[in-house]
Amino acid sequence: MFKPMRRIQQQLQDQEVDEILEKHTYGVLSLFSEDGYPYGLPLNYVKEGDKLYFHVAKVGHKIDALHHYNKASFCVVDQDQVVPEELTTYYKSVIAFGKISIIEDLETKYSVLDHFIARFNPQLNMQERKEAILPSFDRVELIQFEIEHITGKQAKKFALKQ
């Protein structure tokens, strides 16, 4: 179903793919709009196992797109250094493909929101996180992205060093 990477020598190992996802806090989620146009948007995320989670408003373009088509991709760029004298870019990036859905289970929703706050504001204790979650709990939607395929790729320069 998923094509193998064409330049396999530039593929990142699974451990480095995981490290990149753990290190960063946002990437670009790409969906298909009802009108057939692709729709990419930068979003914060958290990762738990083979799932990524995004918090969004309950209405809008991304929710409409999600209801239209449940397949998506998500890209995180780890490094992007343009090297003019070589006419190239030294890069590392990760792209995931999967299915997206809205989290309906309230316990899961609360747990994921708690994970978001703990990741983005680690100095808050459990009670402070709860106080931050409750006022907006009913106004926010959580999207679950179940990873079906994931790869990482790096510039040829990095691949040659290995």
Side-chain angles (χ1 to χ4, degrees), residues 3-4 7 16 31 57 62 75 85 107 111 119-120 144:
K3 293 182 179 184
R7 295 188 175 182
E16 191 164 7
L31 309 168
K62 61 189 143 303
C75 180
E85 59 276 7
E107 286 181 34
S111 174
R119 178 157 191 220
F120 289 95
Q144 174 180 282

Side-chain angles (χ1 to χ4, degrees), residues 100-126:
I100 53 174
S101 60
I102 295 173
I103 294 177
E104 302 292 343
D105 179 72
L106 298 181
E107 286 181 34
T108 302
K109 180 178 176 179
Y110 182 89
S111 174
V112 172
L113 286 171
D114 186 63
H115 186 166
F116 262 104
I117 293 173
R119 178 157 191 220
F120 289 95
N121 196 347
Q123 59 269 30
L124 294 181
N125 64 38
M126 190 179 340

Side-chain angles (χ1 to χ4, degrees), residues 81-142:
Q81 178 189 352
V82 175
V83 185
E85 59 276 7
E86 295 181 33
L87 299 174
T88 193
T89 301
Y90 296 164
Y91 67 89
K92 287 186 182 182
S93 62
V94 170
I95 187 162
F97 299 89
K99 291 187 178 153
I100 53 174
S101 60
I102 295 173
I103 294 177
E104 302 292 343
D105 179 72
L106 298 181
E107 286 181 34
T108 302
K109 180 178 176 179
Y110 182 89
S111 174
V112 172
L113 286 171
D114 186 63
H115 186 166
F116 262 104
I117 293 173
R119 178 157 191 220
F120 289 95
N121 196 347
Q123 59 269 30
L124 294 181
N125 64 38
M126 190 179 340
Q127 181 60 36
E128 291 168 321
R129 292 193 310 266
K130 181 178 182 179
E131 291 169 6
I133 291 170
L134 293 180
S136 61
F137 188 79
D138 292 331
R139 293 190 320 260
V140 69
E141 205 72 87
L142 279 174

Side-chain angles (χ1 to χ4, degrees), residues 12-26:
L12 297 174
Q13 298 297 315
D14 291 346
Q15 179 182 345
E16 191 164 7
V17 168
D18 287 339
E19 289 170 2
I20 289 169
L21 288 177
E22 291 297 326
K23 177 169 98 173
H24 292 282
T25 58
Y26 85 98

Side-chain angles (χ1 to χ4, degrees), residues 42-100:
L43 290 173
N44 291 115
Y45 68 95
V46 293
K47 181 179 184 293
E48 291 183 1
D50 65 346
K51 294 179 177 67
L52 301 170
Y53 296 95
F54 312 98
H55 63 90
V56 300
K58 285 189 171 253
V59 295
H61 197 160
K62 61 189 143 303
I63 294 296
D64 294 343
L66 182 150
H67 289 301
H68 172 70
Y69 194 68
N70 73 336
K71 291 182 181 177
S73 66
F74 184 68
C75 180
V76 175
V77 176
D78 181 52
Q79 181 176 339
D80 172 32
Q81 178 189 352
V82 175
V83 185
E85 59 276 7
E86 295 181 33
L87 299 174
T88 193
T89 301
Y90 296 164
Y91 67 89
K92 287 186 182 182
S93 62
V94 170
I95 187 162
F97 299 89
K99 291 187 178 153
I100 53 174

